[in-house]
Amino acid sequence: MEAPGRSAALEATNAAVLIKLNELYKEAIAHDGFAEIKVEIRILRRGQKEVILHCGKQYRFVVDYAPGN
């Protein structure tokens, strides 16, 4: 069973990743040339994953996740 605040924390951390990904997409599409965005997701310890957004620089996030069935 999940802790009461865990789903709110899950949504907040995922929202930060999605906001950054959206920003990078807008920058890449506006760029006058070639652009590449890569998303890498690694399993960390139980209940956490590391999300790395590659787009010239690397943006790293550690997010909580609820394992699927």
Side-chain angles (χ1 to χ4, degrees):
M1 177 127 182
E2 286 187 26
R6 185 173 168 116
S7 64
L10 176 71
E11 291 300 319
T13 55
N14 284 324
V17 174
L18 292 173
I19 288 168
K20 180 52 85 173
L21 184 58
N22 189 29
E23 289 172 11
L24 293 174
Y25 174 80
K26 287 179 180 178
E27 288 177 23
I29 204 74
H31 179 63
D32 191 25
F34 176 79
E36 181 178 33
I37 298 173
K38 177 180 165 188
V39 178
E40 188 176 339
I41 301 175
R42 299 178 183 184
I43 297 173
L44 296 178
R45 58 192 173 112
R46 183 179 176 119
Q48 286 189 323
K49 291 187 178 182
E50 179 182 35
V51 179
I52 306 170
L53 305 178
H54 301 267
C55 186
K57 298 178 184 176
Q58 289 184 353
Y59 300 89
R60 294 175 180 259
F61 300 86
V62 175
V63 298
D64 294 328
Y65 78 101
N69 296 2

